[in-house]
Amino acid sequence: MNAILVALIGIVIFALGYRYYSKFVAEKIFRLDPNYVTPAHRYKDGVDFVPTNKFILWGHHFTSVAGAAPIVGPAIALYWGWLPAFLWVILGTVFAAGVHDFGTLALSVRNKGQSVGTIAEKLIGKRGKILFLFIILTLVLMVNAVFAWVIANLFITYPSSVLPVFIQIPLAIWIGYAVYKRNVKMLVPSLIALVIMYVAAILSADIAFLQIDLVAYMGGEDGTGLFGLSTVSTAFLIWIIILMIYVYIASTLPVWKLLQPRDFINSHQLVVGLGILYLGLLFTNPQITAPLTNPKPDISWLPLLFITIACGAISGFHGLVSSGTSSKQLNNETDARFVGYFGAVGEGILALISILAVATLFASTADFNAAYASFNQANAGGLGNFVEGAAVLAGGLGISANISTTIVSIIVVSFAATTLDTAVRLMRYIIAEIGAEYKVNVLTKPHVATSVAVLSSTALVLIPEGPNGFGSGGYLIWPLFGTANQLLAGISLLLISIWLKRLGRNYAYTLIPMIFLMFMTLYALFQQVLFEWSWVGSNSNTLLFVLGAIIFVFAAWIALTSFQALTGKFDQSIKDD
C-alpha cells in the first residue's frame, strides 16, 4: 500500500470534517454568538483571563493537548496493524475529538470559564462534581508523572535536544514582554525564535560540546552516580528536579509571560515539523510494510485499541485544557470552533504521520513483525520507532540523520513540556477548587496549590521500586493513563449532552460518541483491573489495581448519576451566564 495515498485519504476526511461537520455543530448545536461577552473580557485579570488572538490561542491550545501522546499511542497501536489505527484516528478525530474539545470549550465559556469538574455540580449535582474532580485530579497527576518521565528520558537519550529546548524559555519571555508591553506583533519575533532554536539544533546535533549529556559527564553508563545510583538514574533524578522547578515557575507566571509566546513558537514547530515529515513522505514515496491487520495478536484490539490511542483520536485531557486555560483566553465565542475543533484536527494530522512514519520504517513486513512481536514489545519501542521513522522521512529532504533526529526529539520534548506545565497549572486550579469546596482555604492559595501539585507529581514519578528504579512511577502507571483519559472524555461528553438537552437542543451528536467511548473504556478498565492487575491477574500490580479500581468505581458512579440527570425531569432549565 502506498503511504502517500493513505495520507491523502486521511487529510481529505479531516478537511471535510472541519469544513462541514464542525460548521454544522457550531451553528446548529452550540449556536455560537459573536456578541457574547466571553470570560476573558468579563473577568480580565492579566494573569489567567486574557483576551487572545485566535491564532495565538490555537497555538497554546494545540501544543498543550498534543504532547507526546498522539505520537506514542498510534506508534504502539500499530501492533494490531495499520488499518485499525488509521480508522480510529480519522473517525475518532472527526466525530468524537472535534466535538468533545469544541464542546467543552463552548460549555466552559458559557459558564464563567470554569472547568468541567466545577460545572458538573450544576449538571449532575454536588456529589457528582466531587467524584469528577477527584478523577480529574488523579488523571492530571498521572499526566505530570508520565510526561516528566518522557522528557527526562528523551533528554538522556537525545542530549543534543537539551540546548535548543532551554534556549526557547528566555526567548519566549522576551517575546511575551515585547508583545504585551511594547505592542509588538507576535508573529515575526516568534519566527526569529524558531530559527534560533533550529540553528542551535543543527549545531548541537554535530558538536559534542553543545550536547548536555549528564550521563557522559559522570563517565558514561559505567561511571559513578550520586547516592549509590547508576549514572543513568542520577541523570534522570537531576532532570526531574530541574523540570519540576521549571513547571513550578511556568505554571504560576501570568499566561502572557511564558505560556502564550512559548506555545506560539511551538505551533510554528508543529507547522515546520509536519511540513518536513509530510514533504519527506512525498519525496521518499514509501510503501507501507506494516501489515493491514495483525492476524494473531497476543492481546485483542477490542477494546484496547480505543484506549491505546487516546490523544490523536479523543482525549479527556483536551477537555481540561479547553475548560481550564483556553476558555479563559477566548476573545470571541465564534473562535471556539477554530481553537477547539481545528485543534483536534491538528492532533489527528500529527497522529496520522506517526502511523505512517512507523508503518514505513521497516524494510519488510517480516522486519516489522519482529519488532512488534508482542504488545509489550510494541509498548517498549513505540516512541523510538517514531523518532527513527520520522528521521527517515526527513532524510527524504536531504536532512542528515543526526539533525533530523535532534529536530524530531525537540518537537516531542517541546510538546511534552507544554503539556506538563499546562497540566500543573490545571492541577493548581483543581486543588484550589477542592480546597474551596471543603473550606480548606490554604489550598486556594496559588503557591500552596502549586507546591502540592509539584511535590505529589515528583513523588509519583520518582517511585524507586520497579523495573526502572527511579522513574518507575511514570513507567508503571502508563497502562492506566489511557483508560483514565478516555473515561474523562466520556464523562465530559455526557455533561455536554446534559447541557444541550437542558437547553432544548439536539444532543445526539455528543451522546453517540459518549456511549461508544464509555462502553469501550469501562470494558477495558474492568478487564485490566480484574484479569491483569489483581492478585489473580496475569500481570499482578498493586499500584495499578488500587488506582484502577478507584477510578472504575468513581466512573461508574458518575455515569449512573449522569444517566439519571440525562433521563430525569428538571425543575428549571440551565441558563447561560
Side-chain angles (χ1 to χ4, degrees), residues 274-352:
L274 287 178
I276 290 174
L277 296 180
Y278 276 97
L279 280 175
L281 184 76
L282 189 63
F283 280 91
T284 54
N285 190 22
Q287 294 295 312
I288 293 177
T289 53
L292 193 70
T293 59
N294 184 346
K296 295 180 180 178
D298 58 4
I299 294 178
S300 171
W301 64 274
L302 184 70
L304 286 186
L305 170 68
F306 304 101
I307 61 170
T308 302
I309 302 180
C311 300
I314 180 172
S315 160
F317 183 71
H318 296 195
L320 297 185
V321 176
S322 290
S323 66
T325 54
S326 299
S327 63
K328 296 177 177 62
Q329 302 172 64
L330 199 72
N331 183 48
N332 190 300
E333 193 178 50
T334 55
D335 295 346
R337 178 189 169 206
F338 179 77
V339 174
Y341 197 99
F342 195 62
V345 169
E347 193 172 73
I349 293 172
L350 180 59
L352 177 59

Side-chain angles (χ1 to χ4, degrees), residues 262-282:
R262 185 212 49 206
D263 293 353
F264 199 51
I265 298 170
N266 286 341
S267 69
H268 298 329
Q269 281 207 72
L270 169 77
V271 174
V272 172
L274 287 178
I276 290 174
L277 296 180
Y278 276 97
L279 280 175
L281 184 76
L282 189 63

